[in-house]
Amino acid sequence: MKKLISKGKFERMNKVSNDQHMIDALALDQRGSLVKSMKTASEKYGKLFSMTMVYDFKEIVSEILSPLSSAVLLDDQMGFKGIQAKAKDTGLIMSYEKTGYDADTPGRLPSLIPDQSAQIMVEKGADALKVLVYYNPNDPDEVNDVKKAFAQRYGTEGVAAETPTFFEIVTYDDRYDSKSLEFAKIKPELVLKSMKEFTQDKYHIDVLKMEIPFNPTFVEGWGDGDEFAYTEAQAKAYLKQLSDEATRPFIFLSAGVPTPVFQRELKLAGEAGAKFNGVLSGRATWLEGVDIYIRDGKDGLTDWLKRKGTRNVTELTQILSENATPWYEAYGGLDNIEVVDISNLQ
């Protein structure tokens, strides 16, 4: 049975993909975490922090790195200058969720930016939308039913606006610190169960943005410590299992790991035969630039981006070309997709 995709969605999926039809996207929608990093660096170098620094940082990174990326993920709140600065031919993915979550309410429930809608973001130039949901498949139904309904509303809104929906899942368990060995041991199960849930047709999600299903710090032979949760062979098997669960395109997020670690993870995914379709790489690409920007200003950041930031992106592009697959392969190839024009129905 052929996969039906509306003409608008199909064209926009191609807009956010590169010439090889893979998603080679730059994530620059960090808000709370970026402010925190900049405040820390400002204290370190004795500088006075202001929000203008955040706006300008996103603008400079977008201007220099977006021409090398198939798409850039930005938010309208802090990334408005970055949106204006992005390369014309580079796709724009816009964040639709509020940053962070209400720590006083159990379940880390998601919420959307109140003055946005899929249609409003399309009118602002968005080629795709993205939301982030914190998800623990083992949470009580009263928590997860809210998140499942949220995902369905989001996906359905994307159908109406003929706009691809990116759905980012970050797993957690409130019993453990996310960087702990205890959490590392259960992370593969959480990521795999999350994929199994949200890859279902009923959510109308177009691209799942997934975590690597293990913590690289605890892969035997990868980290410096003597504690490990998995062998490299097990880590490789988790990547293949994740791919086998997917019924639609999925990409990996970098989760802030150092650039060489993210590159190693992606190469392992390729070796495992995981049919992933690209990346949305954020901090792994530009995090080192935060300190440099605070210390050396715009010129220092520009210089670093033209050298190291550019190299980070181009190396990632090369790794994708060797290890990832075109997004439409998730549906059995282009021949198995039927593009339908629904604009005259609306």
Side-chain angles (χ1 to χ4, degrees):
M1 188 174 164
K2 287 202 170 189
K3 168 71 178 176
L4 301 180
I5 302 182
S6 72
K7 186 169 179 280
K9 266 197 184 186
F10 184 78
E11 289 172 350
R12 289 181 174 123
M13 278 296 292
N14 288 328
K15 180 71 192 289
V16 299
S17 305
N18 65 15
D19 292 343
Q20 293 179 288
H21 309 286
M22 298 165 186
I23 296 161
D24 183 9
L26 174 71
L28 199 50
D29 70 323
Q30 286 77 0
R31 284 158 278 177
S33 62
L34 180 57
V35 169
K36 189 176 176 182
S37 297
M38 286 202 168
K39 283 182 175 176
T40 302
S42 296
E43 287 174 16
K44 182 169 145 187
Y45 294 112
K47 301 290 175 74
L48 188 64
F49 170 80
S50 76
M51 284 304 296
T52 304
M53 295 158 89
V54 179
Y55 309 149
D56 290 349
F57 179 84
K58 292 193 178 207
E59 179 183 33
I60 297 164
V61 175
S62 177
E63 183 179 1
I64 295 171
L65 298 187
S66 69
L68 307 171
S69 308
S70 69
V72 59
L73 168 62
L74 278 157
D75 58 292
D76 201 30
Q77 293 73 43
M78 299 181 195
F80 53 92
K81 290 176 82 171
I83 290 172
Q84 291 168 355
K86 99 175 165 61
K88 184 170 66 71
D89 294 334
T90 298
L92 174 63
I93 307 168
M94 283 182 71
S95 284
Y96 194 4
E97 86 282 353
K98 289 182 184 175
T99 184
Y101 55 87
D102 182 357
D104 297 327
T105 306
R108 306 190 187 191
L109 298 177
S111 56
L112 297 175
I113 298 167
D115 63 349
Q116 296 283 38
S117 73
Q119 201 59 54
I120 288 170
M121 286 187 278
V122 168
E123 287 164 7
K124 288 182 175 181
D127 300 298
L129 315 175
K130 168 254 164 188
V131 299
L132 181 154
V133 171
Y134 293 93
Y135 189 69
N136 178 353
N138 302 322
D139 266 351
D141 287 346
E142 57 262 32
V143 170
N144 283 345
D145 285 350
V146 172
K147 295 177 184 181
K148 290 172 186 177
F150 173 89
Q152 283 190 331
R153 284 196 298 271
Y154 168 63
T156 304
E157 192 178 355
V159 171
E162 289 195 68
T163 311
T165 45
F166 284 61
F167 192 76
E168 178 177 358
I169 302 167
V170 174
T171 55
Y172 70 95
D173 187 313
D174 284 330
R175 296 174 299 171
Y176 308 120
D177 182 281
S178 64
K179 292 182 172 64
S180 67
L181 175 65
E182 292 80 11
F183 185 73
K185 288 175 178 175
I186 64 169
K187 184 169 185 173
E189 177 212 352
L190 299 182
V191 177
L192 290 166
K193 280 186 172 179
S194 300
M195 171 66 94
K196 193 167 189 173
E197 178 61 41
F198 292 104
T199 196
Q200 294 180 74
D201 288 345
K202 66 181 180 180
Y203 292 108
H204 302 290
I205 299 301
D206 295 293
V207 180
L208 285 157
K209 185 184 175 192
M210 303 299 296
E211 297 172 290
I212 298 287
F214 54 82
N215 183 333
T217 304
F218 297 107
V219 177
E220 188 178 13
W222 282 37
D224 299 329
D226 52 7
E227 290 185 316
F228 59 89
Y230 2 74
T231 63
E232 185 173 285
Q234 286 173 317
K236 197 170 170 180
Y238 293 137
L239 288 160
K240 182 66 167 70
Q241 288 173 47
L242 185 71
S243 174
D244 289 346
E245 290 288 0
T247 63
R248 62 206 56 245
F250 78 98
I251 61 177
F252 285 120
L253 61 111
S254 62
V257 300
T259 305
V261 176
F262 190 46
Q263 292 177 349
R264 189 174 183 179
E265 290 172 335
L266 296 175
K267 288 174 183 174
L268 190 69
E271 289 171 28
K275 304 291 187 187
F276 72 104
N277 307 108
V279 294
L280 246 169
S281 176
R283 290 168 292 174
T285 301
W286 49 254
L287 185 60
E288 287 176 59
V290 172
D291 258 39
I292 289 159
Y293 172 59
I294 300 299
R295 189 188 68 204
D296 300 334
K298 292 182 182 181
D299 289 345
L301 175 62
T302 299
D303 180 60
W304 181 86
L305 287 168
K306 286 181 176 176
R307 291 182 297 101
K308 185 65 165 60
T310 294
R311 190 160 76 247
N312 289 344
V313 175
T314 53
E315 285 177 355
L316 208 49
T317 300
Q318 183 61 34
I319 289 167
L320 289 183
S321 72
E322 294 167 1
N323 296 279
T325 59
W327 69 264
Y328 49 70
E329 292 299 334
Y331 299 122
L334 268 181
D335 291 344
N336 205 43
I337 291 174
E338 185 176 339
V339 179
V340 291
D341 190 348
I342 65 167
S343 56
N344 55 358
L345 300 177
Q346 297 180 13

